[in-house]
Amino acid sequence: LMKTDGEAAHAVYSALAAGIRHVDAAWVYKNEREVGEGLRRAEREGIVTREKVFVTSKLWNTFHRPEDVHTAVNTTLRDLGLSYLDLYLMHWPVAQDPVTHQRIDGVSIQQT
């Protein structure tokens, strides 16, 4: 779901209100703040507690360098408004340069 302008927040809230208990997010979708808004609204209204929702997000390709992973996950946590994720995946197993988006050789999956 790559919607903005309130659509993602409403979609997440509606899904949680309908009984869905898994939220899949990613930095590259550019809507993690709104996803967090939907989660918080559902919590405020007593629909769910954080512990009852399984939240997944993903490390984008331009953040595979070991020194970038910590910043990337903290950005996701901040944007979602959460203190933890239930699952954090590599979006794609290919590291890319953040400027050129070309594949970076020499950054293995084991290094991330």
Side-chain angles (χ1 to χ4, degrees), residues 45-74:
E45 295 183 14
I47 293 169
V48 296
T49 62
R50 168 62 186 94
E51 296 75 24
K52 297 292 183 182
V53 180
F54 192 91
V55 180
T56 301
S57 192
K58 297 171 220 66
L59 178 70
W60 185 240
N61 304 351
T62 55
F63 304 115
H64 282 213
R65 290 186 187 275
E67 61 271 19
D68 296 333
V69 175
H70 191 261
T71 300
V73 73
N74 282 330

Side-chain angles (χ1 to χ4, degrees), residues 32 40 72-85:
E32 287 185 322
R40 284 187 297 285
V73 73
N74 282 330
T75 298
T76 286
L77 288 168
R78 182 200 66 215
D79 289 352
L80 289 169
L82 300 176
S83 60
Y84 69 95
L85 295 167

Side-chain angles (χ1 to χ4, degrees), residues 5-6 15-17 22-23 27 33-34 37 48-49 52-53 57-59 62 64 77-78 87 92-93 100 103:
D5 299 327
L16 294 169
H22 179 219
V23 174
W27 175 86
R33 287 182 194 262
E34 284 196 30
E37 289 172 23
V48 296
T49 62
K52 297 292 183 182
V53 180
S57 192
K58 297 171 220 66
L59 178 70
T62 55
H64 282 213
L77 288 168
R78 182 200 66 215
L87 181 63
W92 294 95
T100 67
R103 180 184 173 139

Side-chain angles (χ1 to χ4, degrees), residues 64-66 69 106-112:
H64 282 213
R65 290 186 187 275
V69 175
V107 179
S108 70
I109 292 173
Q110 291 83 3
Q111 290 175 307
T112 29

